[in-house]
Amino acid sequence: MTNSIREIGDAACILAIGTNTTQAHPVLALQIIRAVKRGAKLIVANPREIPLVKFATIWLRQHPGTDVPLVMGMIRVILDEDLADEEFIRERCENLDALKESLRQFDLDTVERITGVPRQQIVEAARLYATSKPASILYTMGITQHSHGTDNVMSLGNLAMVTGNVGRPSSGVNPLRGQNNVQGACDMGALPNVFTGYQRVDDAQARKKFEDAWGIALSPKPGLTVTETFHHALDGHIKAMYIVGENPVLTEASAHHVEEALKKLEFVVVQDIFMSETARLAHVVLPAASFAEKDGSFTNTERRVQRVRQVIPPVGESRPDWLIMCQVAQKMGAAGFDYESPSDIMKEIASLTPSYGGITLERLEQTSLQWPCPAPDHPGTPVMHVGKFSRGKGRFAALNYIPSAELPDAEYPLILTTGRSLYQYHSGTMTRKVRGLNKMSGQEKVEINPADAARFGLKDGDAVKVISRRGKVSARVKVTQSSPPGVVFMTFHFAESPTNVLTSPALDPVAKTPEFKVAAVRVEKEESPVGAGAR
Amino acid sequence: MTTLTKSASVLMSVGGRAVEAKPGQTILDAARQAGIYIPALCAHPGLEPSGTCNLCVVEVAGRPEPVKACLTEATDGMVINIDSPSLREARLAALKKILAQHPNACLTCWRKVHCKPFDICLRNVRVTERCVTCPKNQRCELQKAADYIGLEGETVPGYKYRGIILEKDSPFFDRDYNLCIDCGLCMAVCSQVRGAAALERVPRGGYKLPGPKNGTLIESGCQSCGACVDVCPVGALTDSGSKWEGVAERSVKTICPYCGVGCQLILELKGDRIIRTRPDPEGPANRGQACVKGRYGIAEFVHSPERLTKPLVRKGEEFVETTWDEALALIAEKLGQYKGDQFAMVTSAKCTNEDNYVMQKFARVVMQTNNVDHCARL
């Protein structure tokens, strides 16, 4: 996020696009509710009638996969009606002409036809967003999990910059990060192309710094993303994997190939707190300590580094992940893995990472810190891009409409879009151990519009098979207006209904994010229900 | 528009102590922030005060009548008296009015300090009316107020046991309307902060008390966040799982392991067992709020009997337990054969920064590859 969570509540306008905030980020959603209660305008853009819609000033129900035309349509209205922040554009942005040129294809007739959103609503939303300042954009996987996810994000960047809604309190572009420490894992260089703090592995100067610190020559070649790794395992290029605290068998797109890939590997270590579906395929399974059993830090979606404190001793013989990793390294004869504590590790992180330069666990004991925090006396940075973007000038992106990779046809007439439930988390490894949560949401429900239910002869509670070009999954039907006609919705929390067997293998070319939000499926009534806990 | 020039801070004297308040803050909020106790049951930080319990009356120098601290804005130079015989009398009268709706035999009993949960009651108080059989005993705001005001030996007229059946329709918390004092805080937090507005005053057993507006909690829009339980000053709303755990031996602040919002939680413990989780009012990202997963979804997975507790190695189709030494030796020997780009590391967005740093360093330094990633895209 370029802003802080608390600032969302002070915004005059919020555009929540591709985020089911009350379900996936419930406590952050309280800031949206606070803003609305203060009189802020809320624009919700979502194909599904999510709970946030009931707080919305205006709800744009675009077809899945049509965010670029929707947002570009709004930008066109803003420019046509002279609602742009010309001073901001002049002083802080570049490439406006290219944007304008690409906007020519997004006249409102075309946009209405592609998105299914009435043009009057697009106009109204554009005016609201451009004239109610400060305005904040919130988005999550509904924007990124597309074969054109990067374009979606850039369209939102365009929209924010054209109205000068960046770099001020309550004014910015805010991706809400999913996992508790996904921000931190990225910051720490748990990515194939960067070291800590996004220092590139193919940048000779950055590499030299890490080579000097770590005392060894490092590869200049960016590595593979997780998704690519499994493809390379299938064709035999990857032979061994070490997987910590993740369950790709349930969470990766087009999941059958993940299972196949893992079986093909010569050596797999899985380190986890539970025997996950992925751990079952490992050669060695190591017991890890849970968050409640270790010290360290997490970095939340607003870049806030916060202290994680050990509450109880590790359960059984489990050990903290950092310690296990160090012990493996030492067993392999490596130097530089003899840390006494997480505090030691953070010292090394701070010494190599400018944005974490002033962060120590001792400081975090007193207060949380939002990076960039370059020095021991630096108070942290609640708002980013104040006065200047990281790259200098904000560059407008010329964009085209690229349809989703797999669209419905006669054989697979429905769009499957996936998401999360309030009561479960990710692959359910943790939440499904909690009786109350299972009672609230204990099995997969395929949400389908009443019109589609009638068309396919389905009623509430029916056992069905959802079938895509890649596989079949059993679940129960929930007939609801929340799903628009032509679209079904499933979560991926339940191992008995492994939704990601169905999802599309298409990737965004830049971010390599799978297209979880659009896959073509059909739904068939199951005569003798199996699995999915018939209840 | 008129602009009022307000000084950056307000200085006043509360009960003889110098207290600094923020402009616009009430006397009660400022006193609470300074750690000064003024009894109050219907006011909670962050919620609009309703001013109904009448316990927070204080005397402000220069004003003829006592004022309610929850409704009165702190102003510069205010001299506030929080205790006097007439204040005690006013509070006692207000407290008796509240206690006419709530079991109180134990609050007025001179023996209460001697009683333990399973002692035989010498005064024949019904089991439903004993403080020692209330799930909120020793964590109760009403009890604290009664102790502060002093109730021993007093008589409270008019109390009648409501005889309302315990509501257990939520898997996370119980509702005992025999203990409800109708302070309204549950409704206020549900509507003002959570936006769910699932609660309103509904008829129940001949009384009109706060409850789910459409019969069941779910049908009323309840999100099971537990915010109503957190603000309930008495034993009416209690977490069902930890109802009889009583007071924690210790508590530790840490960060929720679920989503990326980063709510700060207080984990309450007995020995090495987590008995209760509640959101920290000082949490910068959550300010006293949590969701159902953070509030109710932690202890059970941490203490799950399904936790992995020993290293395991595959022998054919089976896993067998092994020692750490053997497991580490096996991994070191095997991984030694796959250095370079034939190896890939998947780290975890659930793990700490320090864990992730060490893992990517391991991949790059020991395994000599940049094939390291995690689930950021999923």
Side-chain angles (χ1 to χ4, degrees):
Chain A
M1 291 172 71
T2 63
N3 297 112
S4 297
I5 291 172
R6 184 77 186 166
E7 292 168 36
I8 306 300
D10 298 324
C13 180
I14 296 168
L15 168 60
I17 183 166
T19 161
N20 188 359
T21 327
T22 59
Q23 308 300 294
H25 298 89
V27 174
L28 189 139
L30 302 183
Q31 292 301 328
I32 305 180
I33 291 163
R34 184 168 78 89
V36 170
K37 287 194 182 272
R38 282 180 42 258
K41 310 292 181 205
L42 172 63
I43 305 163
V44 173
N46 206 304
R48 299 178 57 232
E49 187 176 359
I50 54 171
L52 209 51
V53 167
K54 73 170 182 279
F55 297 99
T57 317
I58 182 167
W59 171 32
L60 310 174
R61 192 174 210 181
Q62 79 275 37
H63 296 317
T66 64
D67 304 277
V68 165
L70 178 68
V71 175
M72 293 294 266
M74 286 175 66
I75 295 169
R76 184 155 161 162
V77 172
I78 289 166
L79 290 174
D80 285 352
E81 300 194 359
D82 286 333
L83 299 172
D85 185 336
E86 275 166 29
E87 190 188 325
F88 185 91
I89 295 174
R90 200 169 48 243
E91 285 176 7
R92 295 197 49 190
C93 305
E94 62 188 24
N95 213 30
L96 181 68
D97 291 339
L99 171 69
K100 279 186 171 162
E101 179 60 31
S102 79
L103 280 174
R104 288 165 59 137
Q105 55 183 307
F106 295 107
D107 62 277
L108 288 190
D109 288 335
T110 308
V111 171
E112 177 176 303
R113 188 169 42 74
I114 298 173
T115 62
V117 180
R119 55 183 297 157
Q120 194 46 44
Q121 288 185 8
I122 299 169
V123 171
E124 203 185 318
R127 289 177 186 158
L128 269 185
Y129 178 80
T131 57
S132 320
K133 290 187 178 178
S136 258
I137 296 173
L138 307 181
Y139 72 87
T140 64
M141 304 296 202
I143 283 296
T144 55
Q145 288 177 343
H146 290 276
S147 51
H148 49 263
T150 304
D151 288 354
N152 284 346
V153 173
M154 290 200 287
S155 73
L156 295 174
N158 286 344
L159 177 63
M161 290 193 300
V162 108
T163 54
N165 272 307
V166 189
R168 293 173 200 156
S170 307
S171 172
V173 182
N174 298 294
L176 313 181
R177 306 302 306 259
Q179 295 274 359
N180 57 328
N181 199 35
V182 63
Q183 183 67 54
C186 294
D187 299 345
M188 290 304 105
L191 291 171
N193 57 338
V194 291
F195 300 112
T196 63
Y198 309 94
Q199 303 170 82
R200 299 182 61 94
V201 298
D202 54 9
D203 172 348
Q205 212 181 331
R207 203 167 56 249
K208 168 103 180 31
K209 177 166 115 181
F210 282 87
E211 285 176 338
D212 288 348
W214 291 343
I216 195 161
L218 296 168
S219 164
K221 189 179 121 204
L224 301 171
T225 64
V226 180
T227 307
E228 291 170 321
T229 297
F230 289 112
H231 292 293
H232 284 253
L234 270 179
D235 60 25
H237 290 112
I238 295 285
K239 295 194 169 70
M241 278 183 85
Y242 195 124
I243 301 172
V244 183
E246 300 226 347
N247 197 5
V249 169
L250 289 189
T251 57
E252 278 285 330
S254 187
H256 271 325
H257 83 271
V258 174
E259 205 171 320
E260 245 176 89
L262 283 168
K263 284 180 179 158
K264 202 163 173 200
L265 289 168
E266 292 170 20
F267 189 63
V268 182
V269 183
V270 170
Q271 184 168 309
D272 208 317
I273 62 174
F274 289 113
M275 182 58 86
S276 67
E277 289 70 19
T278 303
R280 284 179 211 292
L281 302 174
H283 298 92
V284 182
V285 178
L286 298 177
S290 82
F291 88 106
E293 296 140 45
K294 54 188 177 188
D295 277 307
S297 58
F298 290 154
T299 305
N300 79 351
T301 185
E302 55 178 344
R303 299 166 279 105
R304 187 184 295 282
V305 190
Q306 304 192 95
R307 185 74 162 84
V308 175
R309 293 181 183 84
Q310 183 176 356
V311 177
I312 55 170
V315 165
E317 291 180 24
S318 69
R319 293 178 182 176
D321 293 286
W322 65 269
L323 183 62
I324 302 173
M325 198 79 266
C326 287
Q327 288 172 335
V328 172
Q330 286 174 318
K331 204 89 181 172
M332 293 176 77
F337 288 87
D338 47 358
Y339 309 102
E340 293 273 315
S341 67
S343 171
D344 271 2
I345 302 170
M346 187 49 95
K347 277 189 198 118
E348 184 171 317
I349 296 167
S351 72
L352 290 166
T353 317
S355 55
Y356 277 67
I359 297 178
T360 63
L361 290 194
E362 291 66 34
R363 262 189 100 183
L364 295 180
E365 199 56 58
Q366 308 306 321
T367 180
S368 61
L369 291 163
Q370 285 173 279
W371 66 255
C373 175
D377 56 353
H378 190 283
T381 310
V383 187
M384 284 181 80
H385 310 308
V386 177
K388 187 167 143 308
F389 291 101
S390 319
R391 71 179 291 276
K393 287 231 171 187
R395 187 178 170 83
F396 286 114
L399 299 171
N400 297 308
Y401 168 54
I402 304 167
S404 305
E406 189 180 76
L407 291 170
D409 54 22
E411 203 182 345
Y412 300 97
L414 295 164
I415 290 178
L416 167 70
T417 192
T418 67
R420 294 160 199 260
S421 147
L422 170 65
Y423 292 100
Q424 294 290 346
Y425 199 76
H426 223 60
S427 76
T429 321
M430 290 148 68
T431 45
R432 293 205 68 198
K433 307 293 188 295
V434 182
R435 280 162 298 175
L437 296 174
N438 287 330
K439 201 170 161 192
M440 299 307 285
S441 166
Q443 60 175 332
E444 187 60 61
K445 300 264 177 69
V446 189
E447 295 189 11
I448 187 166
N449 185 273
D452 292 324
R455 187 169 145 212
F456 299 109
L458 302 171
K459 56 179 196 309
D460 215 56
D462 275 354
V464 291
K465 269 201 162 63
V466 184
I467 303 165
S468 79
R469 288 187 174 81
R470 293 154 294 276
K472 303 176 185 185
V473 167
S474 300
R476 297 260 163 188
V477 160
K478 181 179 174 188
V479 179
T480 168
Q481 293 282 2
S482 302
S483 251
V487 177
V488 294
F489 170 80
M490 294 171 81
T491 73
F492 54 100
H493 302 312
F494 303 95
E496 310 87 311
S497 303
T499 303
N500 279 319
V501 162
L502 306 170
T503 44
S504 159
L507 298 183
D508 179 87
V510 182
K512 312 284 185 196
T513 300
E515 188 155 62
F516 288 110
K517 300 307 184 202
V518 181
V521 297
R522 68 170 182 269
V523 181
E524 284 177 4
K525 199 158 164 176
E526 197 152 25
E527 295 310 330
S528 51
V530 286
R535 246 171 295 165
Chain B
M1 211 173 89
T2 348
T3 346
L4 290 172
T5 335
K6 283 188 173 171
S7 60
S9 74
V10 171
L11 275 174
M12 54 182 190
S13 155
V14 180
R17 266 180 60 186
V19 169
E20 203 178 320
K22 289 185 210 101
Q25 219 174 9
T26 65
I27 298 175
L28 182 65
D29 280 344
R32 278 176 168 170
Q33 217 160 56
I36 297 170
Y37 181 69
I38 297 173
L41 296 176
C42 67
H44 198 272
L47 299 177
E48 309 254 332
S50 64
T52 51
C53 83
N54 289 320
L55 290 180
C56 69
V57 283
V58 294
E59 293 161 345
V60 178
R63 298 207 191 171
E65 296 291 325
V67 299
K68 292 176 189 179
C70 69
L71 295 180
T72 311
E73 191 176 319
T75 54
D76 209 36
M78 243 182 194
V79 178
I80 296 151
N81 187 18
I82 58 168
D83 199 10
S84 74
S86 68
L87 282 178
R88 184 193 176 247
E89 205 172 310
R91 285 175 185 155
L92 189 61
L95 182 62
K96 283 185 176 181
K97 228 170 126 187
I98 295 163
L99 288 177
Q101 310 178 66
H102 186 281
N104 55 62
C106 284
L107 296 176
T108 58
C109 176
W110 60 273
R111 290 198 77 254
K112 65 178 177 186
V113 287
H114 304 294
C115 284
K116 296 199 170 59
F118 303 108
D119 286 356
I120 292 165
C121 177
L122 296 180
R123 291 182 58 212
N124 234 356
V125 173
R126 287 165 63 168
V127 83
T128 48
E129 295 177 40
R130 295 182 195 165
C131 57
V132 290
T133 51
C134 172
K136 216 48 181 304
N137 188 28
Q138 294 178 0
R139 298 184 296 130
C140 173
E141 282 298 317
L142 178 58
Q143 205 173 29
K144 191 175 173 188
D147 285 346
Y148 176 86
I149 295 164
L151 259 188
E152 282 173 30
E154 297 281 346
T155 51
V156 177
Y159 174 69
K160 182 170 153 277
Y161 182 62
R162 289 180 184 142
I164 300 172
I165 292 168
L166 182 72
E167 298 273 7
K168 290 182 79 71
D169 66 336
S170 161
F172 306 109
F173 54 89
D174 291 350
R175 294 178 284 138
D176 184 349
Y177 288 103
N178 299 298
L179 301 178
C180 175
I181 57 169
D182 196 15
C183 67
L185 287 179
C186 54
M187 296 186 295
V189 77
C190 190
S191 140
Q192 291 171 28
V193 176
R194 305 301 305 210
L199 307 174
E200 59 187 36
R201 287 194 177 84
V202 291
R204 185 182 303 277
Y207 301 86
K208 211 162 181 202
L209 296 168
K213 64 182 179 196
N214 299 329
T216 67
L217 286 165
I218 297 301
E219 277 167 33
S220 305
C222 171
Q223 304 284 304
S224 307
C225 68
C228 55
V229 179
D230 289 328
V231 297
C232 181
V234 293
L237 300 175
T238 48
D239 295 339
S240 38
S242 61
K243 200 167 168 176
W244 304 109
E245 294 284 1
V247 180
E249 289 170 5
R250 63 190 175 98
S251 60
V252 181
K253 287 186 182 194
T254 191
I255 305 300
C256 180
Y258 285 110
C259 82
V261 175
C263 296
Q264 189 155 294
L265 302 174
I266 300 173
L267 272 51
E268 296 189 358
L269 294 123
K270 274 190 173 172
D272 288 335
R273 193 165 52 87
I274 302 165
I275 58 166
R276 207 177 279 124
T277 306
R278 51 190 177 88
D280 184 1
E282 291 170 9
N286 58 312
R287 306 199 181 203
Q289 299 300 317
C291 79
V292 60
K293 295 184 289 292
R295 184 77 169 68
Y296 296 112
I298 287 179
E300 251 178 288
F301 91 73
V302 170
H303 296 303
S304 165
E306 293 175 48
R307 281 285 301 273
L308 292 169
T309 55
K310 279 185 159 44
L312 304 169
V313 279
R314 174 178 295 283
K315 291 270 177 326
E317 289 303 293
E318 300 278 294
F319 281 110
V320 293
E321 288 181 359
T322 182
T323 63
W324 272 106
D325 277 347
E326 283 178 24
L328 292 172
L330 174 66
I331 293 168
E333 186 230 309
K334 286 282 188 183
L335 289 188
Q337 302 165 23
Y338 298 105
K339 286 193 179 181
D341 289 343
Q342 49 187 336
F343 170 83
M345 177 98 210
V346 181
T347 80
S348 175
K350 287 247 130 341
C351 287
T352 62
N353 287 327
E354 295 74 10
D355 292 333
N356 275 288
Y357 176 80
V358 172
M359 290 173 206
Q360 60 89 32
K361 182 176 174 184
F362 173 83
R364 293 186 160 118
V365 169
V366 183
M367 299 307 291
Q368 286 286 296
T369 178
N370 284 314
N371 291 340
V372 52
D373 196 12
H374 66 287
C375 75
R377 298 166 188 83
L378 309 182

